[in-house]
């Protein structure tokens, strides 16, 4: 690794702490025939310990220099996809598999794309059994935050809507080369086999949650006034004087379904008026 110069544009901080790698492997608990994909393998600190335990591994890497180094290993069990993970269609990895086969996703995600990459992967949640990620500690805290905490926000609600979220363990800057200026942590995401709370319109839910947290210090009455009146919020059994951080995922789904239902009724009435 000493002769490899990391690239800031790719947010490269390579994990090189063997105790952390062993702990992460233990948490992943890989089985030989599982379909595992690693995002951002870097120089293979996690890649090759994984390959010791499984039959094959797919890796997604954008850096051509890193790809060249991995290719030099000539490992027949390693399948390299030289693409941008944000644009990669993860369903292609299951084309030759049985319909009940699912992906397991792992990776030390670049801090600058971690959130959009998680949301990109959530588009394939029906094809994924679980995900283990190294992320900025602050981001893991936000994703796993509980209602009522200062870190609970839009990211918490939307990821928790789709997945069970677990903070596994802390990782300090000294475990990387070069050391980042922030702390890291391991996050486990397990997509729900059945959503605990079903939104009628997930895009509508996303917009409502974004609006509810648009000004954190203001109440639902103020932040949602263009979507729902205080009286309508009350009919959902929710106090409109609360701030968004006080609500649960279930509460947001309830408000979203109420709002989308009211919008549908309004559209139907408008269409009826036009016809008559």
């Amino acid at each position: 690794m000493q002769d490899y110069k990391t690239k800031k544009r790719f947010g490269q901080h390579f994990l090189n702490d063997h105790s952390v790698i062993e702990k992460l492997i233990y948490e992943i608990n890989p089985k030989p025939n599982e379909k595992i994909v690693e995002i951002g393998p870097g120089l293979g600190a996690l890649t090759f310990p994984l390959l010791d335990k499984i039959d094959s591994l797919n890796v997604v890497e954008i850096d051509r220099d890193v790809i060249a180094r991995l290719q030099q290993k000539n490992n027949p069990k390693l399948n390299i996809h030289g693409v941008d993970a944000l644009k990669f269609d993860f369903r292609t990895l299951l084309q030759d598999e049985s319909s009940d086969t699912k992906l397991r996703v792992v990776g030390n995600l670049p801090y600058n794309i971690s959130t959009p990459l998680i949301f990109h992967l959530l588009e394939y949640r029906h094809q994924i059994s679980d995900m283990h990620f190294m992320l900025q500690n602050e981001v893991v805290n936000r994703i796993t935050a509980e209602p009522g905490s200062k870190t609970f926000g839009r990211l918490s609600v939307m990821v928790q809507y789709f997945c069970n979220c677990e903070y596994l363990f802390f990782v300090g800057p000294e475990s990387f080369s070069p050391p980042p200026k922030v702390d890291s942590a391991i996050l486990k995401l397990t997509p729900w086999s059945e959503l605990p709370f079903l939104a009628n319109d997930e895009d509508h839910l996303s917009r409502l949650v974004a609006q509810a947290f648009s000004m954190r210090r203001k109440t639902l009455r103020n932040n949602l006034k263009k979507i729902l009146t205080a009286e309508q919020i009350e009919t959902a059994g929710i106090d409109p004087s609360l701030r968004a951080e006080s609500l649960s995922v279930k509460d947001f789904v309830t408000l979203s379904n109420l709002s989308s239902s009211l919008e549908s009724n309004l559209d139907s009435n408008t269409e009826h008026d036009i016809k008559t």
Side-chain angles (χ1 to χ4, degrees), residues 53-270:
K53 297 180 178 295
I54 58 180
D55 297 335
S56 67
L57 176 67
N58 288 280
V59 299
V60 179
E61 175 60 60
I62 194 173
D63 187 341
R64 293 180 180 179
D65 293 332
V66 165
I67 291 171
R69 294 208 171 207
L70 293 174
Q71 289 172 332
Q72 289 173 6
K73 300 291 185 178
N74 292 319
N75 191 314
K77 299 196 296 182
L78 182 61
N79 306 308
I80 303 171
H81 305 269
V83 294
D84 183 349
L86 284 169
K87 299 176 182 177
F88 186 60
D89 184 348
F90 287 84
R91 289 169 299 192
T92 60
L93 301 178
L94 295 172
Q95 284 179 342
D96 300 323
E97 303 294 331
S98 63
S99 58
D100 60 344
T101 301
K102 290 192 174 185
L103 295 173
R104 302 191 69 197
V105 186
V106 303
N108 174 18
L109 303 189
Y111 297 146
N112 55 341
I113 64 164
S114 60
T115 299
L117 185 50
I118 286 173
F119 279 104
H120 177 62
L121 285 161
L122 288 176
E123 295 177 15
Y124 305 96
R125 60 191 177 277
H126 300 300
Q127 290 83 39
I128 293 174
S129 60
D130 62 18
M131 298 174 266
H132 289 78
F133 294 135
M134 179 94 67
L135 297 169
Q136 190 172 341
N137 188 57
E138 177 189 352
V139 175
V140 178
N141 281 328
R142 286 167 56 202
I143 289 175
T144 58
E146 296 184 357
S149 69
K150 291 183 179 179
T151 52
F152 187 77
R154 180 187 180 189
L155 184 62
S156 321
V157 175
M158 295 312 301
V159 179
Q160 290 177 28
Y161 173 78
F162 291 111
C163 299
N164 181 49
C165 308
E166 300 174 72
Y167 185 116
L168 294 184
F169 61 90
F170 175 89
V171 182
E174 68 281 357
S175 295
F176 301 87
S177 178
K181 296 180 181 179
V182 296
D183 295 325
S184 302
I186 302 297
L187 170 72
K188 181 180 180 181
L189 299 177
T190 307
W192 301 112
S193 55
E194 290 186 20
L195 294 173
F197 317 107
L198 182 61
N200 297 334
D201 183 333
E202 289 171 355
D203 288 336
H204 188 89
L205 172 65
S206 180
R207 292 193 298 272
L208 182 139
V209 172
Q211 185 60 39
F213 284 101
S214 59
M215 290 176 280
R216 290 188 67 98
R217 296 182 63 84
K218 292 197 173 184
T219 63
L220 297 172
R221 175 186 283 108
N222 290 316
N223 281 344
L224 295 181
K225 61 186 177 183
K226 293 183 179 180
I227 302 175
L228 292 167
T229 66
E231 292 75 18
Q232 289 168 336
I233 295 172
E234 284 182 336
T235 64
I238 297 168
D239 185 349
S241 66
L242 292 174
R243 292 176 179 171
E245 65 194 43
S246 300
L247 272 62
S248 65
V249 175
K250 181 181 179 181
D251 292 332
F252 280 109
V253 172
T254 298
L255 289 177
S256 175
N257 288 346
L258 172 62
S259 174
S260 61
S261 176
L262 291 170
E263 281 190 7
S264 295
N265 290 338
L266 180 61
D267 291 341
S268 296
N269 291 336
T270 302

